[in-house]
Amino acid sequence: MYNICCVKLIYVCGEIGMKLKIVLLKIFSLVIATVLAVTFSSCYFRFAINDSSHNQETTVTSEQNETTSAESSTVSSEDSVDSVEKIEVTEPDLTFGQSEIELLQSYGLDESYLRKQYTFDENDLNGYNNKAYVLDRMCNSIDYFTTLQASYTLHTQKNNQKSTWTTYAIDRRIGKAKELIYSVNESDSECVPLSYVCVDGDYHLKTFFSGETKDENTFNYSSPLSADNKAIKNVAQLFEQPLANKLKSVTDKPQINSYTSAKDDVDKYIDATKKLFVINGSPAVLFTRTDNIGLIYAGEHYNPQYFAEDAMFDFSNWKIESVDTDNSGNDIICILGKYYDKIWNTKKSFNLKIDKETGVMISKQVFNSSGKVIEDYNTLNIIIDGEIKSGIFDSIKP
């Protein structure tokens, strides 16, 4: 009897052990599958580009605007964050004293107009200081980065304008910058080079692609565009070559650049919240920062002060939805708002994402009063304060 009981006990224990083993194997398999899924999805989203608005007309109601804020743009990068060599950056000296106060006074402004330093508090997302922080960064973004490399697409409905694709680089340590602009021909799935701008200190050169050179550098693309796309890699390769001597120049020789030669004066020292004045009952911005970097097309991307002036001085018209982190580890401020476009005499709404530290624009969607997307910026990739090969910049000084 004793032996029979022992045999039964062993059998029962064996059955329990087998069932436990099966359960553990299922849990282990589930964990492995989850890890693989997360890894795959992170790789996928690293290269994904939200390009749907370029392929079809989009109609968005005011309620849908809020939903699309979190979905409007994904920043990607060909290189992993670890492979980008970061440069040593000195924080901008924005402490102002008596000489700056006297400069303001020479313009008829008292000390209350002196630029303030705001801090961002994620526990008070739509507090006054946070909105002032956003406005300061957007109006003064050129103070907050030393080098910048980015590519972005722009699609507008104005005058049936086609999409454009711009890639640019800025190195403020050596006073050089360049941008390459392509037209995105969606019907033929082609990227056609349009023009090229380079800045070398106080000198500026804008060139156009001749017919032969344009044909040589036209690429097919697959939609949606992504950072691992052959076209983007080909453009990146083209961008890293000196181009000034290969293209047809607007002028026979580089010209003094009115942008870079202009000196920052009082504009830098006025608080962003104080730049809007009311004259004869109408609001007007009297002090706008001089963009002394000097690029033409990319200015709205790295220096979005004009949109801030158009749409964001009235804090009651916009709100901060969230602060997210992109694939490169940068904090992104997501904003929803509305404004009245005085030039086009119409009401508009917008979704906006900016880099939290610099104010550089990551994405922007502007909707007309019917909810249709009429302007769409999407950043394909961006590197802030990473090392740049000096050889990619043309030397154009006479």
Side-chain angles (χ1 to χ4, degrees), residues 289-301:
R289 286 292 295 272
T290 299
D291 176 7
N292 54 14
I293 292 171
L295 294 180
I296 297 175
Y297 299 96
E300 178 67 12
H301 190 263

Side-chain angles (χ1 to χ4, degrees), residues 42 57 64 91 95 124 160 176 251 272 329:
S42 66
E57 291 186 354
Q64 286 174 312
E91 291 298 319
T95 55
D124 187 21
N160 296 317
K176 292 188 176 185
T251 56

